[in-house]
Amino acid sequence: MSSQSVADAVRARIRDVPDFPKKGILFKDVTPVLEDAALFKRLIGAMAREWKGQAIDKVVAIESRGFIFGAPLALELDAGFVIVRKPGKLPAKTLKTSYALEYGEGVLEMHEGAVRKGEKVLVVDDLLATGGTAKAAATLARGEGGEVIGYSFLVELSFLEGQRKLEGLPVKALLTY
Ligand code: AMP
């Protein structure tokens, strides 16, 4: 199956939920995609193909839907897997960074030492909207001396221009709205 036909099949299965989690947001629910075993496997293959042949030491994935895609991608790419979480969830010593949300600010954490100096890092999440979340994950990886080589998403909401926050690095999304 070509990446385009995988993308078409994923698009057909993404569920649009209006006004979730608040009024005015059209939530792209990826859970129906995951229920299809063959499609889940193919979409991970298609996401991984974009990065094959590149040296990637760590996949850094963002809580919580980023974990769903990040862990199998790390396996496909022979990379270690690192989780970025909301405050108070990680048990050991962490680095923190704050980033702007629509209202107020969000904080993300990563374990100290989870990324090592000079390691090449791919940041993974389910969806790129304004880019603040992905950029915060990159900031954490860089805080440990990691080199972010790109960003991988299942979905990009291109009308929100999130790529503008991602420093001109390669951004791959299987499908774009
Ligand atoms: P942003 O920081 O604006 O790029 O937002 C990206 C994060 O928010 C990702 O972790 C997404 O899972 C989530 N997100 C933002 N907008 C949506 C949406 N319309 N549908 C589903 N998830 C979203």
Side-chain angles (χ1 to χ4, degrees), residues 25-28 65 99 125-134 157:
I25 306 273
L26 182 63
F27 193 85
K28 297 286 182 192
R65 288 179 301 277
Y99 63 107
D125 203 357
D126 65 327
L127 182 142
L128 173 63
T130 66
T133 310
L157 304 182

Side-chain angles (χ1 to χ4, degrees), residues 15 17 20-21 25-30 62-66 86 99-102 124-136 153 155 157 159-160 162 165-166:
R15 176 163 51 203
V17 183
F20 183 89
I25 306 273
L26 182 63
F27 193 85
K28 297 286 182 192
D29 178 16
V30 299
I62 304 157
E63 177 171 354
S64 60
R65 288 179 301 277
K86 302 200 175 113
Y99 63 107
L101 292 175
E102 200 179 345
V124 176
D125 203 357
D126 65 327
L127 182 142
L128 173 63
T130 66
T133 310
K135 187 177 180 186
F153 306 92
V155 178
L157 304 182
F159 54 90
L160 295 174
K165 286 211 181 80
L166 305 183

Side-chain angles (χ1 to χ4, degrees), residues 51 121 123 138 142 147-151 163 165-172:
W51 307 99
V121 169
V123 174
R142 291 185 183 121
E147 181 196 342
V148 177
I149 62 103
Y151 297 85
Q163 286 206 30
K165 286 211 181 80
L166 305 183
E167 312 99 5
L169 287 166
V171 176
K172 305 284 181 189

Side-chain angles (χ1 to χ4, degrees), residues 3-62:
S3 292
Q4 188 52 51
S5 49
V6 179
D8 291 344
V10 170
R11 195 183 292 270
R13 279 203 157 236
I14 284 181
R15 176 163 51 203
D16 286 352
V17 183
D19 299 323
F20 183 89
K22 56 188 169 210
K23 210 163 170 47
I25 306 273
L26 182 63
F27 193 85
K28 297 286 182 192
D29 178 16
V30 299
T31 62
V33 177
L34 308 170
E35 291 164 14
D36 182 331
L39 185 56
F40 188 17
K41 189 176 266 186
R42 286 191 184 115
L43 80 84
I44 294 297
M47 287 175 81
R49 271 201 291 283
E50 300 283 1
W51 307 99
K52 277 267 159 76
Q54 291 201 50
I56 295 171
D57 300 299
K58 294 279 167 63
V59 163
V60 170
I62 304 157

